Amino acid sequence: MNEEQTVRFRRYSKNVASSGSAVILLSVWTLIKTLIIVVQNWDALLKETGLEEISQEWVQVTVGLVLVGIYAVLVLVHVGLGISAIRYGRGKKKNRWFLILAVLLLALTVFGMPSYFREYDTAVQDTSIAAFLADATTIFVLIDLIYSSIRMKQLENQTA
Amino acid sequence: MQEDFHYYATYCAACLAGYSHEESLDICYSAQFVDLCSKTLLSKIRAPLRAATTQLQLEMMDARTDIIGLQEITRIWSSFHFLPGDLYAQKEHRTKRYMNKYRLICRPNGDLLVETVRIAKGKSLQHTGIAMHVLADTWAHQYFAGTPSLVINNTDSDFFWEITEQNGEEVRRPIRFRHNPSAPDDPEKALYTNSLYQASENTIMNLGHGRAGHLPDYSYIRYAYLPAWGDYREIVKDNPQDYRRAFAQMVYAMKYLRGETDTFEKDTYDRTSVEPYEERLRSIIEKRQLLASDDWKRFGEELSGKEIPDFSIDRYQKEYTDAQEDKKNETFLGKFIEGALAQKGMVTHAIDQSGNRLAGASEVIRSEVVE
């Protein structure tokens, strides 16, 4: 690579590593947000799913644990994506399977954005705005991660 | 740079410039004293605190990082250890706030260096020593700024490579940093200590070359790294070459200060005086050791035929404290203090005149610049 290409390559690899770190941090937000939603709306959740009528507590607890488990898996996906991106950005990893995860997460986040614009209780307006900003940040980070990874590959191919 | 260069190498350069043994001792003592003249010491001897040429770690821990504190820090470090290379440097698409710090980046052969040497002309040997300290540090500390700034002084910890030569080929190995100030640096394992990463822009951890540890002060090492201001461009720091140039430039500067030459110009070195000792200098500078004091001392004693006493911070303090108030300026430390005030005032004024308020303001009184 000539110097300009090397400089650009360094910039993009730094972006990928930084975005990977951001994805890991944002996963913590995802977990916290989900836990708060589940805890705050537990009764409504039981009612919606018809579990309210089941008297055995263990069923409700099991459902709760399963929900937490699902979101724990989501967090692990974020963390796995983030770690892979960091390793790729630092040149310690060559394959880019994490981009598939990144695209999936990006799609999920984007499709969830319209929910912020429907009518809601003004009492939760502040939290909704905060959540919107956090998700907007997630979208930006994922786009940056995907774009920078692609540009890295292009630069490598140019000089190969 | 460290005591090995500021004290012993400066002595050697002074000898080669034609100074006597006693004069060389005064010069090299002053050069080293710049690294020790803190407010704490000045307070102890009841000297003007504004003459401080350095700050102790404890002083910096207590230092304010509001604008007043930052100006105080910048005044000291930019004046004596990180002399700005170009106060009018340009860089596209940057705010004024960023440029104020960018323009404080230390580089050798700047206009301020010429002024530093010029204002020492006709002054005391102590002032000469101060000028030599500043000159030497422009080589070792280049690419870092004497103001706390993350966006200027931070480095990429994943990109630090020691460059060596094996069988005629350049070989790079990674340099690793740890945060253990009590453990000595280990050149064999390329394991060094640097300051902790802190994301705050104005934290003391981001002052000067803290993020690169003591690498700039080791004469033997060549290394590549990415400074925060560099926009991902690699900087290769060739300390052996820089230290040789610093030495040759000191000889040239001191010949000017002695009156042997009429001018002091940038990017000029007294290679003629240094050439007979080139191999000796190379062997000292390139030897893999953290402190080269013994080698420089041996060289200096061979040059002069006289013994160089070890540096002692207490040597001239009693003379100063015992002197009458109106006679203090005639003591060794009194002359050093005068030189320090002149240097600090000159640099502060120059920074202020360039439209940069990071070092505070200064005013010109008569023909002398004071802080």
Side-chain angles (χ1 to χ4, degrees), chain A residues 3-4 7 10 14 90, chain B residues 156 158 231-234:
Chain A
E3 197 191 336
E4 281 308 312
V7 166
R10 281 192 197 123
K14 262 303 183 191
R90 289 181 180 172
Chain B
D156 186 340
D158 292 329
D231 297 333
Y232 300 97
R233 287 180 199 280
E234 176 185 275

Side-chain angles (χ1 to χ4, degrees), chain A residues 68-111:
Chain A
V68 169
I70 290 171
Y71 279 99
V73 167
L74 254 184
V75 168
L76 285 173
V77 165
H78 277 79
V79 171
L81 163 60
I83 290 175
S84 296
I86 291 169
R87 286 171 57 84
Y88 183 75
R90 289 181 180 172
K92 293 177 183 171
K93 186 183 163 70
K94 287 297 176 193
N95 71 60
R96 301 186 302 156
W97 64 266
F98 63 90
L99 285 181
I100 300 170
L101 280 179
V103 169
L104 279 172
L105 275 174
L106 177 62
L108 278 172
T109 314
V110 167
F111 290 146

Side-chain angles (χ1 to χ4, degrees), chain B residues 106-355:
Chain B
C106 173
R107 291 180 207 268
N109 293 312
D111 291 338
L112 278 179
L113 175 68
V114 175
E115 196 60 17
T116 294
V117 175
R118 191 192 68 75
I119 65 171
K121 176 89 168 168
K123 300 291 192 305
S124 62
L125 294 172
Q126 288 76 11
H127 201 151
T128 298
I130 292 170
M132 292 308 103
H133 181 108
V134 175
L135 186 158
D137 273 352
T138 61
W139 288 97
H141 297 168
Q142 60 181 304
Y143 307 128
F144 292 96
T147 190
S149 173
L150 178 74
V151 299
I152 300 295
N153 291 327
N154 192 29
T155 58
D156 186 340
S157 55
D158 292 329
F159 193 98
F160 251 102
W161 302 91
E162 182 177 359
I163 302 169
T164 53
E165 204 173 285
Q166 287 177 18
N167 303 322
E169 281 191 11
E170 182 182 288
V171 172
R172 292 188 172 204
R173 67 164 173 167
I175 290 174
R176 288 176 300 131
F177 285 106
R178 60 176 171 205
H179 308 301
N180 186 356
S182 60
D185 289 341
D186 188 344
E188 295 316 309
K189 294 181 185 168
L191 187 58
Y192 298 89
T193 296
N194 69 347
S195 63
L196 276 170
Y197 172 76
Q198 287 197 354
S200 170
E201 167 64 10
N202 294 327
T203 173
I204 281 298
M205 293 292 173
N206 295 325
L207 171 66
H209 62 76
R211 295 292 293 143
H214 283 294
L215 291 186
D217 295 330
Y218 298 145
S219 63
Y220 66 87
I221 195 166
R222 291 180 185 85
Y223 56 98
Y225 73 106
L226 297 179
W229 58 264
D231 297 333
Y232 300 97
R233 287 180 199 280
E234 176 185 275
I235 293 288
V236 174
K237 187 78 167 46
D238 187 341
N239 280 0
Q241 186 182 74
D242 288 342
Y243 275 57
R244 286 199 302 274
R245 283 185 178 161
F247 187 83
Q249 193 172 52
M250 281 204 300
V251 177
Y252 168 62
M254 282 193 276
K255 281 191 173 177
Y256 162 74
L257 291 172
R258 271 191 68 233
E260 212 171 296
T261 57
D262 293 329
T263 56
F264 175 80
E265 289 172 2
K266 289 187 253 183
D267 210 12
T268 310
Y269 315 90
D270 189 347
R271 300 202 192 278
T272 312
S273 299
V274 170
E275 199 186 333
Y277 310 99
E278 194 64 47
E279 272 313 302
R280 183 64 180 277
L281 290 171
R282 195 180 288 270
S283 71
I284 298 172
I285 287 170
E286 295 188 11
K287 187 174 171 183
R288 286 182 78 82
Q289 55 186 346
L290 299 183
L291 203 59
S293 295
D294 290 343
D295 291 333
W296 279 113
K297 180 177 178 177
R298 203 171 301 121
F299 180 48
E301 288 173 345
E302 286 173 17
L303 281 177
S304 65
K306 305 264 176 68
E307 189 184 343
I308 305 172
D310 290 342
F311 181 86
S312 167
I313 194 173
D314 301 320
R315 189 176 303 160
Y316 297 105
Q317 290 182 26
K318 193 169 187 309
E319 180 198 21
Y320 186 84
T321 52
D322 289 349
Q324 303 278 344
E325 277 307 312
D326 58 343
K327 299 287 186 194
K328 282 198 187 299
N329 284 352
E330 295 169 20
T331 64
F332 187 101
L333 291 185
K335 292 174 190 173
F336 177 91
I337 286 166
E338 269 187 3
L341 288 172
Q343 171 68 14
K344 192 188 275 190
M346 182 274 291
V347 175
T348 304
H349 182 69
I351 295 173
D352 182 33
Q353 288 293 100
S354 73

Side-chain angles (χ1 to χ4, degrees), chain A residues 124-153:
Chain A
V124 298
Q125 187 173 359
D126 290 343
T127 13
S128 297
I129 292 173
F132 171 78
L133 289 172
D135 282 347
T137 305
T138 305
I139 291 172
F140 175 81
V141 164
L142 288 168
I143 291 174
D144 184 45
L145 191 155
I146 295 165
Y147 175 77
S148 297
S149 302
I150 294 170
R151 294 291 288 146
M152 275 178 72
K153 191 65 182 170

Side-chain angles (χ1 to χ4, degrees), chain A:
Chain A
M1 284 186 202
N2 62 35
E3 197 191 336
E4 281 308 312
Q5 288 172 323
T6 305
V7 166
R8 287 211 304 270
F9 186 84
R10 281 192 197 123
R11 185 188 301 272
Y12 291 127
S13 43
K14 262 303 183 191
N15 281 358
V16 170
S18 302
S19 297
S21 303
V23 165
I24 294 172
L25 284 172
L26 286 166
S27 73
V28 175
W29 157 250
T30 303
L31 180 65
I32 293 172
K33 180 179 75 170
T34 310
L35 281 174
I36 291 172
I37 291 171
V38 167
V39 166
Q40 274 189 341
N41 300 291
W42 181 244
D43 292 335
L45 188 69
L46 287 178
K47 192 174 179 182
E48 290 284 320
T49 53
L51 288 171
E52 195 184 32
E53 294 161 17
I54 300 177
S55 59
Q56 293 97 326
E57 230 176 62
W58 68 268
V59 173
Q60 295 178 359
V61 169
T62 306
V63 166
L65 286 174
V66 166
L67 267 175
V68 169
I70 290 171
Y71 279 99
V73 167
L74 254 184
V75 168
L76 285 173
V77 165
H78 277 79
V79 171
L81 163 60
I83 290 175
S84 296
I86 291 169
R87 286 171 57 84
Y88 183 75
R90 289 181 180 172
K92 293 177 183 171
K93 186 183 163 70
K94 287 297 176 193
N95 71 60
R96 301 186 302 156
W97 64 266
F98 63 90
L99 285 181
I100 300 170
L101 280 179
V103 169
L104 279 172
L105 275 174
L106 177 62
L108 278 172
T109 314
V110 167
F111 290 146
M113 292 303 267
S115 66
Y116 289 110
F117 298 101
R118 64 164 195 255
E119 284 191 29
Y120 49 81
D121 184 357
T122 52
V124 298
Q125 187 173 359
D126 290 343
T127 13
S128 297
I129 292 173
F132 171 78
L133 289 172
D135 282 347
T137 305
T138 305
I139 291 172
F140 175 81
V141 164
L142 288 168
I143 291 174
D144 184 45
L145 191 155
I146 295 165
Y147 175 77
S148 297
S149 302
I150 294 170
R151 294 291 288 146
M152 275 178 72
K153 191 65 182 170
Q154 284 177 344
L155 282 166
E156 280 177 333
N157 291 342
Q158 274 175 23
T159 55

Side-chain angles (χ1 to χ4, degrees), chain B residues 87-88 96-97 99-100 103 348-360:
Chain B
L87 289 175
Y88 301 91
K96 178 76 166 71
R97 191 174 167 214
M99 289 309 293
N100 281 345
R103 286 169 176 156
T348 304
H349 182 69
I351 295 173
D352 182 33
Q353 288 293 100
S354 73
N356 188 339
R357 299 286 176 262
L358 276 179

